[in-house]
Amino acid sequence: MSNANCQIWATRAQALLRIVAGYLFLSHGSAKLLHIPHVAMFDNLQLFSLMGLAGVLELVMGTLILVGLFTRFAAFIVSGEMAVAYFMGHASHGHVLAPSLNGGDAAVLFCFVFLFLAAAGAGAWSLDGLRKKA
């Protein structure tokens, strides 16, 4: 496989990572704010709370990441959100260096996937890419 082919497939793989991570992330916000899918824990969620703010960020920024619009900015913001979520919501229960023991696996993974996207950009199939061409 030539270097040019590898680069084409790398940007497509990057786009798939962005799309899947964006979808999964916005589904967390959707569960919190729109109750789709329904998660009983979020039934009485107050919009003006930390969890409510997290839901807004997850829904809005997850959508931006999914479609690849302002990807670097959105990914940087939610990478920070996930770092805060890990240290406030998971590591505070103990086992700071063992996310599998404190339930923080997803927060750590989201944090570093979004940090990668903040550095690398949206990849192929993005509105950011269309904006560059125009």
Side-chain angles (χ1 to χ4, degrees):
M1 205 172 206
S2 73
N3 202 17
N5 280 342
C6 286
Q7 183 59 35
I8 289 169
W9 285 105
T11 62
R12 291 174 181 171
Q14 185 176 329
L16 288 173
L17 177 65
R18 171 184 50 81
I19 291 164
V20 170
Y23 171 75
L24 291 173
F25 203 64
L26 81 85
S27 71
H28 283 269
S30 175
K32 287 179 179 91
L33 301 178
L34 307 174
H35 306 289
I36 302 169
H38 180 258
V39 177
M41 181 172 111
F42 302 133
D43 281 348
N44 295 313
L45 180 72
Q46 298 297 311
L47 185 60
F48 293 104
S49 66
L50 276 179
M51 195 70 79
L53 173 62
V56 170
L57 287 174
E58 290 160 3
L59 189 63
V60 173
M61 299 299 181
T63 301
L64 289 175
I65 291 167
L66 173 71
V67 300
L69 182 63
F70 308 119
T71 305
R72 290 178 193 266
F73 170 76
F76 181 76
I77 296 299
V78 294
S79 176
E81 178 199 355
M82 288 294 94
V84 169
Y86 179 73
F87 286 107
M88 282 182 71
H90 299 282
S92 64
H93 295 23
H95 307 290
V96 175
L97 297 178
S100 60
L101 297 178
N102 63 29
D105 309 56
V108 171
L109 193 56
F110 273 131
C111 179
F112 283 95
V113 166
F114 291 140
L115 188 60
F116 168 75
L117 291 173
W125 311 317
S126 68
L127 294 179
D128 287 340
L130 290 176
R131 287 180 38 227
K132 282 183 186 178
K133 290 179 184 176

